[in-house]
Structure formats: structure tokens, C-alpha cells
Amino acid sequence: MAEKRVFCEHCLDDVTYHVEEREFTRKLKGKNYTFKGREALCDNCNRPVFVEEIDNANRTALYASFKKENDIISIAEIKAILKKYNIGAKPLSELLGWGINTVPRYLKGDIPKADYSAKLRRIAAEPDYFLSLLKDASDILKPIAYEKSMRAAEEAIKAGGVDKESLAADYLLSKNNEITPLALQKLLYYVQGFFYAFTGEFMFESDCESWVHGPVYRDIYNKYQEFGRNPIVSEKSYDFSSYFTSQEMQLLDSIIKHLSVYNGKVLEKFTHEESPWLLARGDLREDEPSTNIIEKEMIADFFTKVKEKYNMLTVDDLSAYTKARFASLSF
Ligand SMILES: [Zn+2]
């Protein structure tokens, strides 16, 4: 830190600076929001100096605080809608009767108003509602875009509006009744990572976020939050083979066999030492809340290397990795 110099408006010189943590209160859309941020101070005069990366981090924290208080849909959730219904940001805006650049602006960080956010959330949760809007907009969208999105919406309805990660969670929980919410999140993350390593494809479309205690799929978190630190009780059991390919089932079984035997805290230690979570969090402190996305590319890259490092030939070869990871932990 001491190496880097920035311009101080008071000293009228390039100066070194130090960074302190403090609480900020800033106004956004007419309301005050308090958040924990950092401030760079000139080493000579101790007055604030502008450091772009710190300013950006503070802004992110401010928006996170705003969104949390207003429970506004996140960029990640909007991206998930586009994927789920195979539709672009502009066509989605049109279909909703909004200005064509509305959704693209949200993707760049503009914050949706509460009623716009609620509408997007409803679309995410109710594929049949989306389909009805789509049909009403058949003359607005280009025929190819319309057909593509129609097929995706029908698929989503067939899956009962259930995401693959929800199905995977149900499957894992049906096989092991000792899984806590903390452990479940890690298991899903390893499902995503190792499935990619063996197939070059992701099982889940959703992105996970780099929370303090590791990677988190937000919808799953919300669903099982009530169990706290206790094992999740789930009665759901159905014919999973109609939802998963045999390759997917094999991977899920391997995760149960090799990873669900560890408790949530141990799995948290695993993920905390691995690059996807670390990279997504950047230079955040260990206890600093974050909803940063763990980009799929990071997961792909990391697990591909793990597979190579441990010479895994089949999805059942996870034990070399899990045993090495467990042995390396310090308690
Ligand atoms: Zn100064």
C-alpha cells in the first residue's frame, strides 16, 4: 500500500496513503443508507484522498445496502431470467412493455424501482406467467427470438418452474439426512465444479455468490434458511431419473459418497482455500459480506485443473482430492 501514490488536493502533491475502515452514511434516491466501507487518507495531512478501487468498493457496498433494504432484484437474478427463458435483455424489456433499454440498464447497475423489480421476480418464479406475456408480445419480437424463448419457457414449465440446483439439492437431501444448509451449499458448488470438469458443461445455470462462509446459491439459501445449523429435513423424493441424465446421477452419487461425509465447517475450509471463492472476493476481509458472483469461468478453470492434478478418470475418482484436502487442513 505504501508504494502506491495518489494526488492529494491539500498537499498538492502525489502522496502515499493509508486505509482505514469506517462506517459511511450516504444518500441514494432520497434516502440515507449506512454501510461499512474504507477510506484512504493522505500520509502527510491525514485528509481523505481519492483512490478509485476503494471508491468503487464503497459504491458496491452502498448499493448492496440499498438493495438489501429495498429487496430489489439483483443483476445475477436478472441474468438468470435471460438464461432461463433464452431471451435477450432488449426483447425482455419490450415484452414487458418497458423502454427497450430498461433491462440492459439494470444489467449495467441501474437499480430497478420496486414495482419493476417485483415484476421481474414474478417472471423468474412463474414460467406460465412469462409464457402468457410472451404470447401477447408475439408481434413485437422477431420470429426467431420468439420461437427460441417459447421453447425455453415450455421447458421451464415442464420442469415445474424448478431449477436444476433445487432438484440436485432434493436429491442430495434424499440420500443423506445429516446435511445442514452450510454443507448443502458446498455440495452444490462441488456438483457444479466437478460436473464441469468431467463433461465440459455446467449442471446449473444459476451463479453462486461468494458469501463469508463460502459459495452460496441464493435461492437454495432462502429455501432452507429456517434450518439454521441443523440438518435439513426434506421429505421430497420423486423419480429423479426423469430429471437427471445418468451422467448427472453418477456425479451426484459421487458427491454424496465422497463429499457429503464431511460437515459444513470442514467443507467451508475446503472452499476458503480454493481460487474461485478467493478470486470472487478479491481483497475483502474474511468477515466482510459479499454477493460477488463466482464466475463460471473461475469454477471451470479451477475444477479442470483439480481433475488433472489428481488424475481423475471417472466421476467416482473424487476421493484422491477429498482425502488430500482433508489431510491438509489444520484444526
Ligand atoms: Zn495531504
Side-chain angles (χ1 to χ4, degrees), residues 90-294:
K90 286 182 178 179
L92 178 62
S93 307
E94 290 188 290
L95 174 141
L96 289 162
W98 301 346
I100 192 164
N101 284 315
T102 308
V103 177
R105 276 196 289 107
Y106 295 158
L107 294 174
K108 284 185 192 143
D110 269 18
I111 295 167
K113 286 194 193 124
D115 53 338
Y116 281 57
S117 168
K119 188 129 188 181
L120 289 167
R121 280 249 165 82
R122 182 166 177 208
I123 284 178
E126 300 174 28
D128 45 355
Y129 175 60
F130 174 83
L131 190 64
S132 70
L133 293 176
L134 183 67
K135 283 180 176 164
D136 289 344
S138 60
D139 52 339
I140 301 175
L141 301 183
K142 293 198 178 108
I144 292 173
Y146 178 78
E147 284 301 322
K148 251 181 17 180
S149 190
M150 180 69 91
R151 276 198 299 276
E154 282 167 353
E155 279 301 310
I157 289 169
K158 240 190 279 170
V162 180
D163 292 310
K164 207 67 179 278
E165 62 270 22
S166 294
L167 291 166
D170 286 337
Y171 185 72
L172 297 172
L173 294 169
S174 76
K175 294 282 176 176
N176 180 339
N177 57 16
E178 295 292 324
I179 299 174
T180 62
L182 183 69
L184 178 62
Q185 290 294 346
K186 276 76 187 168
L187 297 177
L188 290 173
Y189 165 78
Y190 284 118
V191 167
Q192 178 83 321
F194 281 118
F195 190 72
Y196 183 90
F198 284 99
T199 66
E201 285 173 22
F202 291 107
M203 197 184 296
F204 314 140
E205 288 194 356
S206 304
D207 285 311
C208 57
E209 299 173 9
S210 52
W211 289 19
V212 169
H213 295 291
V216 168
Y217 288 91
R218 181 187 286 269
D219 289 348
I220 303 292
Y221 173 84
N222 291 337
K223 194 167 169 185
Y224 296 113
Q225 192 178 10
E226 62 181 295
F227 290 98
R229 292 166 188 226
N230 301 308
I232 295 167
V233 181
S234 170
E235 321 269 78
K236 279 199 185 152
S237 184
Y238 28 86
D239 180 14
F240 290 102
S241 64
S242 62
Y243 293 98
F244 294 108
T245 65
S246 58
Q247 211 173 16
E248 289 172 335
M249 295 283 266
Q250 280 167 20
L251 193 268
L252 289 165
D253 286 334
S254 182
I255 294 288
I256 288 161
K257 183 172 160 191
H258 298 295
L259 277 150
S260 80
V261 291
Y262 299 105
N263 71 34
K265 277 289 157 195
V266 168
L267 294 172
E268 177 178 330
K269 284 177 187 251
F270 285 11
T271 59
H272 274 28
E273 288 175 5
E274 297 175 351
S275 65
W277 181 81
L278 289 168
L279 287 172
R281 289 184 60 87
D283 57 1
L284 293 177
R285 290 190 324 271
E286 235 172 68
D287 61 345
E288 207 163 350
S290 152
T291 55
N292 293 352
I293 299 288
I294 302 180

Side-chain angles (χ1 to χ4, degrees), residues 8-13 15 41-49:
C8 174
E9 290 177 7
H10 301 279
C11 302
L12 296 176
D13 199 1
V15 297
L41 300 164
C42 168
D43 280 338
N44 293 335
C45 69
N46 216 34
R47 289 187 173 115
V49 286

